[in-house]
Amino acid sequence: MPSLSAKDIAEAYGIPPQLLAKILQRLTKAGLLRSPCGTNGGYALSRPPEDITAFEVIGAIDGPLLLPRARPAPWL
């Protein structure tokens, strides 16, 4: 997959560069993106998009998701 610069992504989606930089760092730290160093750097998905879930993306950006346990209704 080709790499894109943070600047190109920010311009394409109208996202403030400072905000995007924080998001990209979190996604990279979570292993969802790769960011090679050097003149050909940038950001690319670390695996095929169909193998990345929304749950993983949200967890990487917002932190671990805690799902409450379902409790049986008191009348049951």
Side-chain angles (χ1 to χ4, degrees):
M1 283 179 226
S3 295
L4 297 171
S5 72
K7 180 184 175 204
D8 290 341
I9 298 168
E11 288 176 0
Y13 292 97
I15 301 171
Q18 298 84 359
L19 173 62
L20 181 64
K22 291 178 183 181
I23 293 169
L24 292 174
Q25 287 173 349
R26 290 179 182 184
L27 293 172
T28 301
K29 186 176 179 182
L32 300 174
L33 295 178
R34 60 181 172 79
S35 178
C37 297
T39 57
N40 294 328
Y43 293 89
L45 295 175
S46 61
R47 54 189 201 254
E50 60 271 10
D51 293 343
I52 298 173
T53 66
F55 188 81
E56 289 177 288
V57 174
I58 293 168
I61 294 171
D62 290 337
L65 298 175
L66 302 176
L67 301 176
R69 287 187 162 178
R71 294 184 185 174
W75 58 86
L76 293 180

